Amino acid sequence: MIGRLNGIVAEKQAPLLLLEVSGIGYEVQMPMTSFYQMPEVGEQVIIHTHFVVREDAQLLYGFANKIERELFREIIKANGVGPKLGLAILSGLSASQFVQIVSNSDASALVKLPGIGLKTAERLIIELKDRLKNFTLQQQDSLATDAQPLDGDLGSTFIETVDVEQDAIDALLALGYKQNQATKIVKKVKLPEMDSEALIKAALKAML
């Protein structure tokens, strides 16, 4: 089990982070709530991970703090909910928002996320309501994170994608949104001064 990685951010292509650790590049998929907290390319960071082994793939999911990782693990325990859907949920909602929605049995808020119909939303609420009663969110609410960037001077070694609009569309597609939906919302909310992360954040907010 890979539980934590400490390395240099080599590439950022939301929701995928390429982290170089001792010469090995780890592709880590992250919910946008954690991705927003990652440092710039070339800087060093520590992230918490969840490793999934399937017959056809080995997948690594990363989180800025242990709280978000534990919530992700609770979400994917629900019947019919896999890591991809868990990633989409925690990209559209913060941990505290999700816990509050489940506590309030607000299925209508969940169906706005990609891949979640009414039956899935209701099942998530039923299965998670008791399990999340004592879920601690103090660190999440105070925006504390374990993913603190360390000193790094390799920024000039790497090149980031500069097509902001396409980056945002690709991120939404990876999270489960449809092409026409992603393209329409990105064009609608885009402002000239936005970078990729700001545009993705605005698009996800507009989806809800």
Side-chain angles (χ1 to χ4, degrees):
M1 177 67 73
I2 302 173
R4 192 177 78 165
L5 290 174
N6 181 347
I8 301 292
V9 178
E11 294 178 17
K12 293 174 71 176
Q13 182 67 49
L16 187 68
L17 183 81
L18 181 63
L19 194 68
E20 184 172 334
V21 182
S22 301
I24 300 173
Y26 290 88
E27 290 188 344
V28 184
Q29 298 183 60
M30 307 188 81
M32 293 308 302
T33 45
S34 281
F35 192 88
Y36 297 142
Q37 300 178 55
M38 293 299 101
E40 297 302 317
V41 169
E43 295 185 17
Q44 192 167 0
V45 71
I46 297 173
I47 62 173
H48 299 276
T49 58
H50 177 80
F51 189 44
V52 175
V53 178
R54 303 189 324 212
E55 290 184 3
D56 59 341
Q58 296 184 28
L59 304 171
L60 196 59
Y61 297 89
F63 306 89
N65 54 62
K66 291 181 180 179
I67 291 175
E68 194 169 55
R69 181 181 64 181
E70 293 311 307
L71 181 57
F72 175 81
R73 287 173 171 173
E74 291 294 338
I75 290 172
I76 63 176
K77 287 179 185 177
N79 184 35
V81 178
K84 185 175 181 179
L85 188 53
L87 201 71
I89 290 171
L90 291 180
S91 290
L93 299 168
S94 69
S96 56
Q97 286 173 328
F98 179 75
V99 172
Q100 189 64 46
I101 285 170
V102 171
S103 177
N104 293 338
S105 299
D106 187 3
S108 63
L110 292 179
V111 297
K112 296 177 182 178
L113 298 170
I116 298 185
L118 183 58
K119 289 184 178 179
T120 301
E122 291 174 341
R123 185 169 63 247
L124 270 169
I125 289 170
I126 291 171
E127 293 190 31
L128 294 178
K129 196 164 188 176
D130 286 339
R131 297 214 303 266
L132 298 183
K133 276 183 178 179
N134 299 318
F135 201 83
T136 302
L137 291 169
Q138 288 183 339
Q139 290 174 308
Q140 180 73 23
D141 290 335
S142 64
L143 300 180
T145 174
D146 295 330
Q148 297 295 334
L150 305 177
D151 291 336
D153 57 0
L154 301 179
S156 61
T157 306
F158 305 101
I159 300 175
E160 288 189 274
T161 303
V162 295
D163 190 338
V164 173
E165 188 172 307
Q166 191 57 52
D167 278 356
I169 292 171
D170 289 344
L172 293 177
L173 293 177
L175 294 172
Y177 289 96
K178 295 180 180 179
Q179 177 75 52
N180 60 342
Q181 186 181 21
T183 302
K184 182 178 179 181
I185 199 67
V186 165
K187 290 183 180 296
K188 180 180 179 180
V189 302
K190 183 183 177 184
L191 296 174
E193 67 273 13
M194 284 182 169
D195 60 12
S196 297
E197 291 184 23
L199 183 53
I200 295 166
K201 185 181 292 186
L204 286 170
K205 185 177 180 179
M207 294 284 193
L208 300 177

